[in-house]
Amino acid sequence: MKDTLTLENPILINGKEVSELTYDAKEITALQFSEACARSAALDKTKTFAFKMRENDYALHLYLGFMAIIAVNPDIDVSDLERMKGQDINRTANIGLLFTLGRLGGALQEKNSDALSENTADTSTPA
């Protein structure tokens, strides 16, 4: 299902100013996922060990958001989308974050459950 990202700061794509981009993260291919991972890794120029996971790799989220746009707009290139600025970057990264968390088609919110949680045994030793 295509959604629309409305840009606060329009960007030039193929010589035209664009303020709305359609996207569908469910259409991201394995090749696009791999490209997003590679582009994210290429940005990491640190010499220190940093433990990265998909869930906290913000560059990966951004590039996955780009891939969700490209998946339904193959005439758009990553270099076009890299001209985004301001909050448009955060909104695009949120698309990738939802993809990473497996929460496509929904907002970032916890599942509510009507079931009662079970009690766990207290394994602490009294002082």
Side-chain angles (χ1 to χ4, degrees):
M1 181 173 106
K2 288 184 188 178
D3 287 307
T4 302
L5 175 67
T6 302
L7 303 175
E8 287 181 6
N9 302 292
I11 56 176
L12 280 180
I13 298 177
N14 300 324
K16 296 181 183 176
E17 192 172 88
V18 175
S19 60
E20 288 189 342
L21 295 164
T22 54
Y23 68 92
D24 188 347
K26 292 179 183 176
E27 295 297 321
I28 294 173
T29 65
L31 185 59
Q32 290 170 324
F33 180 82
S34 296
E35 183 179 346
C37 290
R39 287 177 177 271
S40 170
L43 291 175
D44 191 1
K45 305 287 186 208
T46 62
K47 302 285 186 222
T48 60
F49 175 77
F51 185 70
K52 272 191 175 178
M53 296 173 44
R54 286 187 304 190
E55 294 80 8
N56 69 356
D57 187 343
Y58 307 115
L60 175 60
H61 300 161
L62 179 62
Y63 280 100
L64 286 171
F66 289 166
M67 294 305 158
I69 294 167
I70 292 169
V72 293
N73 299 285
D75 57 317
I76 296 177
D77 189 73
V78 172
S79 61
D80 294 324
L81 300 174
E82 288 176 327
R83 290 192 291 272
M84 282 186 188
K85 58 185 178 181
Q87 287 301 309
D88 297 333
I89 295 166
N90 279 333
R91 289 186 188 104
T92 304
N94 284 342
I95 295 166
L97 174 61
L98 289 172
F99 177 87
T100 301
L101 296 176
R103 295 191 180 181
L104 296 178
L108 278 174
Q109 51 184 299
E110 289 189 27
K111 244 188 200 179
N112 289 329
S113 175
D114 292 333
L116 296 174
S117 61
E118 58 185 72
N119 292 330
T120 55
D122 183 6
T123 57
S124 61
T125 307

